[in-house]
């Protein structure tokens, strides 16, 4: 019986093709927005999670100030004294200090400003490699004893930064000093990391006249120790050394898991806002369905009267109209999924081409769960939008409906 | 043994409110329709024909009075209970044919059986037989828009027979047809009555009423002559 109603609903929708398509378009736009936005942000989340998994949950990073932003802003409240203290905390396997500076880089009469990172090849390059996720592509890595040698990010090996491709053994100037390029890195997947320059820690210290100031301290926790507990211990040690109260710290200690969580929660907020906006367009689409269904009920009052005369109960009539409006939603949802996926792919390609985020950052993620729930939801939106028109249809008095001209 | 009437109207009144004015469409109708009868309800426009038909057809309930269908009082039933009775016991034929435009002839005939939850195969089989009965087996796949007036009314008659009802109610069934086609339709009703169906035709036309075995004249909401 329900099958009959579906077949009748489809024929009724086809009877007024243009109106049906226009109504479907309303839902299509909303679903397109939802599918593309969710799949892109899901993809972003998946990529971020994967990157964090790669670097491992046994890392702790100590930033000056409130966190990463303050480090980027050049705040330096950390020093080599702190590094020494951190190394004494039980559970700390390796700890290393880094210098983060924006530096002037010259090559072939061309000049750029970029991140210059001083890393210690001796005291824990292993951690830095993990955290920065860098891998040598051409040439070799920094070694103990290297002086004016440098490792360059992926984009230096392309024509992206300078007009000419840089190869190992080329010479570049950093902050006016000449450095020999000894290695180039593989693509990491985000613009910033892929245009960073690495130089030996001691040279960076000298070059930027940093004294014993550090941009950040990276820690690897020993096997068998809980990262969160070690991080807490580090925080406590530094606080006691600085004679600071809880909440007054001028530094912050974050585990990789915490950083991931803060990324995820920011992403969740963005996702929520975006989906909320998309939901408004879906609401408008739903109102479109309601409008179409009301018109449809008015046009078919006589038909409703006839159906009632030949034995249709109120429930039969309302079901017919509900299925019709549900189908409007479902078809809109179906096409919306297709265009949403297409749009997400286009965004993915566009972002990859522009290189703003790098290819890794934006791989739209389409879970079957998302698609099925979107389809179910769009059918549901259709049904809900058709509810009042369907009730109106069912409530028609058969005598009046038969007389209706 | 005394026969039980299919329909019995006992002092039926129907009063409509139109704004502040009350219109008495029916004023104390008493009527019995027995199985196998062929009755015409005749009257001028506004005499209460349609209202009578609506009450006989269980489309409406009286303001006052009783309606018995197969001896059962239906004057207090609700919309859904009436729908159930209509679907099973009454077949309607309308002046404007009133077929569902999106359905083919055979689907239109099968539609009342959908509401009675008859299985699909059985529905189509029976609809086919009914279309053959009204001489339209070759047009069964056609949509209403592709059929002539006479064909449409024959499909409508086949539809009225779908659930094998006891009573066929026809409201001006030839009103939209030319006289030759109208005659053929009336012959179908005569034949159905001969086969044992109870037929009630509502009309203003005494020529049409003359096909019936019994004529009931209505005027101003009252039966004036039987």
């Amino acid at each position: 019986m329900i099958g009959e109603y579906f077949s009748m609903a489809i024929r009724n929708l086809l009877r007024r093709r243009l109106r049906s398509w226009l109504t479907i378009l309303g839902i299509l736009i909303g679903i397109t927005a939802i599918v593309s936005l969710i799949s892109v942000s899901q993809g972003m989340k998946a990529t971020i999670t994967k990157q964090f998994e790669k670097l491992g949950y046994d890392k702790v990073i100590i930033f000056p100030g409130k966190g990463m932003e303050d480090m980027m802003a050049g705040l330096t409240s950390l020093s080599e004294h702190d590094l020494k203290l951190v190394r004494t905390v039980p559970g700390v396997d390796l700890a290393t200090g880094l210098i983060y500076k924006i530096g002037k880089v010259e090559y072939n009469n061309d000049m750029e400003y970029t991140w210059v990172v001083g890393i210690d090849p001796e005291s824990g390059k292993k951690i830095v490699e993990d955290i920065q996720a860098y891998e040598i592509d051409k040439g070799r890595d920094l070694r103990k004893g290297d002086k004016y040698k440098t490792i360059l990010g992926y984009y230096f090996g392309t024509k992206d930064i300078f007009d000419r491709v840089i190869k190992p053994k080329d010479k570049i100037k950093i902050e006016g000093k000449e450095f020999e390029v000894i290695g180039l890195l593989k693509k990491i997947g985000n613009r910033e990391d892929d245009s960073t320059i690495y130089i030996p820690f001691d040279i960076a210290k000298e070059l930027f006249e940093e004294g014993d100031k550090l941009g950040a301290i990276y820690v690897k926790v020993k096997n068998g120790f809980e990262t969160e507990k070690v991080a807490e211990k580090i925080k406590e040690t530094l606080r006691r050394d600085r004679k600071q109260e809880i909440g007054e710290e001028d530094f912050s200690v974050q585990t990789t898991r915490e950083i991931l969580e803060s990324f995820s929660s920011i992403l969740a907020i963005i996702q929520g806002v975006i989906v909320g906006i998309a939901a408004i367009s879906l609401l408008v689409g739903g109102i479109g369905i309601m409008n179409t269904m009301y018109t449809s009920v008015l046009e078919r009052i006589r038909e409703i009267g006839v159906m009632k005369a030949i034995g249709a109960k109120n429930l039969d009539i309302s079901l017919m109209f509900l299925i019709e409006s549900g189908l409007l939603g479902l078809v809109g949802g179906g096409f919306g999924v297709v265009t949403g996926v297409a749009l997400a792919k286009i965004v993915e390609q566009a972002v990859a081409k522009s290189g703003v985020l790098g290819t890794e950052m934006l791989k739209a993620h389409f879970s079957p769960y998302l698609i099925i729930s979107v389809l179910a939801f769009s059918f549901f939106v259709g049904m809900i939008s058709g509810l009042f028109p369907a009730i109106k249809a069912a409530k028609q008095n058969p005598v009046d409906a038969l007389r209706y001209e | 043994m005394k026969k039980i009437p299919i329909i019995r109207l006992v002092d039926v009144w129907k009063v409509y409110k139109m704004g502040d004015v009350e219109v008495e469409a029916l004023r104390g109708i008493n009527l019995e329709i027995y199985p196998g009868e062929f009755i015409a309800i005749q009257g001028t426009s506004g005499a209460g024909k349609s209202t009578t038909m609506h009450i006989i057809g269980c489309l409406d309930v009286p303001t006052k009075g009783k309606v018995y269908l197969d001896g059962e009082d239906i004057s207090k039933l609700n919309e859904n209970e009436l729908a159930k009775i209509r679907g099973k016991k009454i077949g309607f034929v309308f002046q404007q044919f009133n077929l569902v435009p999106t359905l083919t002839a055979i689907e239109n005939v099968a539609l009342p059986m959908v509401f009675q939850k008859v299985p699909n195969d059985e529905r189509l089989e029976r609809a086919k037989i009914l279309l053959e009965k009204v001489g339209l087996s070759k047009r069964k796949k056609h949509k209403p828009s592709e059929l002539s007036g006479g064909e449409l009314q024959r499909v409508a008659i086949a539809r009225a027979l779908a659930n094998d009802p006891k009573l066929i109610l026809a409201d001006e069934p030839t009103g939209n047809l030319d006289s030759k086609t109208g005659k053929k339709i009336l012959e179908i009703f005569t034949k159905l009555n001969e086969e044992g169906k109870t037929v009630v035709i509502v009309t203003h036309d005494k020529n049409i009423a003359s096909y019936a075995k019994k004529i009931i004249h209505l005027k101003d909401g009252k039966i004036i002559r039987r």
Side-chain angles (χ1 to χ4, degrees), chain A residues 15 302-303 306-307 310, chain B residues 92 94 96-109 111 131 136 142-145 147-160:
Chain A
R15 180 155 65 151
R302 217 188 152 81
E303 202 176 304
V306 174
M307 297 235 195
I310 63 174
Chain B
F92 284 93
F94 303 95
Q96 280 106 337
F97 325 125
N98 285 342
L99 298 177
V100 178
T102 47
L103 302 181
T104 60
I106 192 164
E107 287 166 335
N108 262 294
V109 175
L111 187 59
L131 279 176
L136 274 181
H142 289 256
K143 292 266 176 72
S145 57
L147 300 174
S148 71
E151 286 171 332
L152 289 171
Q153 201 58 306
R154 279 191 277 168
V155 175
I157 293 171
R159 180 178 70 182

Side-chain angles (χ1 to χ4, degrees), chain A residues 1 4-5 7-8 11-12 15 302-303 305-317 320 394 396-399 402-403 405, chain B residues 16 51 54 59-60 79-80 83-84 86-87 92 94 96 98 100-104 107 111-112 114-117 120 123 143 159 163:
Chain A
M1 195 179 71
E4 286 300 310
Y5 293 170
S7 132
M8 282 168 76
R11 281 188 245 185
N12 273 315
R15 180 155 65 151
R302 217 188 152 81
E303 202 176 304
V306 174
M307 297 235 195
K308 286 198 159 188
I310 63 174
K313 290 185 250 338
N314 289 356
L315 184 68
D316 296 315
I317 303 286
M320 283 181 200
Q396 293 300 321
N397 173 310
V399 171
L402 278 170
R403 278 208 200 104
E405 294 294 332
Chain B
Y16 294 107
T51 310
H54 292 150
L59 283 166
D60 209 351
E79 173 61 43
N80 276 334
K84 217 183 225 169
R86 286 197 296 267
F92 284 93
F94 303 95
Q96 280 106 337
N98 285 342
V100 178
T102 47
L103 302 181
T104 60
E107 287 166 335
L111 187 59
V114 172
F115 301 130
Q116 298 305 318
K117 302 184 171 57
N120 191 37
R123 263 195 331 250
K143 292 266 176 72
R159 180 178 70 182
N163 288 320

Side-chain angles (χ1 to χ4, degrees), chain B residues 131-148:
Chain B
L131 279 176
E132 272 165 27
K133 195 180 168 83
V134 296
L136 274 181
S137 47
K138 284 189 179 142
R139 312 285 273 165
K140 66 185 177 201
K141 297 273 185 209
H142 289 256
K143 292 266 176 72
S145 57
E146 299 156 349
L147 300 174
S148 71

Side-chain angles (χ1 to χ4, degrees), chain A residues 374-394:
Chain A
V374 160
L375 288 178
F377 183 64
S378 55
F379 188 68
F380 179 72
V381 166
M383 294 261 270
I384 288 292
S385 308
L387 190 61
F388 288 109
I391 290 172
K392 185 188 164 88

Side-chain angles (χ1 to χ4, degrees), chain A residues 242-254:
Chain A
R242 289 155 188 253
K243 299 188 172 59
Q244 286 169 336
E245 295 289 323
I246 293 177
E248 276 184 352
E249 301 93 338
D250 62 349
F251 64 94
S252 61
V253 178
Q254 287 180 318

Side-chain angles (χ1 to χ4, degrees), chain A residues 4 74 81 97 107 116 195 211 215 233 247 299 306 309 311 314 326 351 362 380 390:
Chain A
E4 286 300 310
H81 167 71
Y107 177 67
V116 178
S195 37
K233 263 268 170 333
E299 281 172 351
V306 174
N314 289 356
V351 169
L362 213 78
F380 179 72

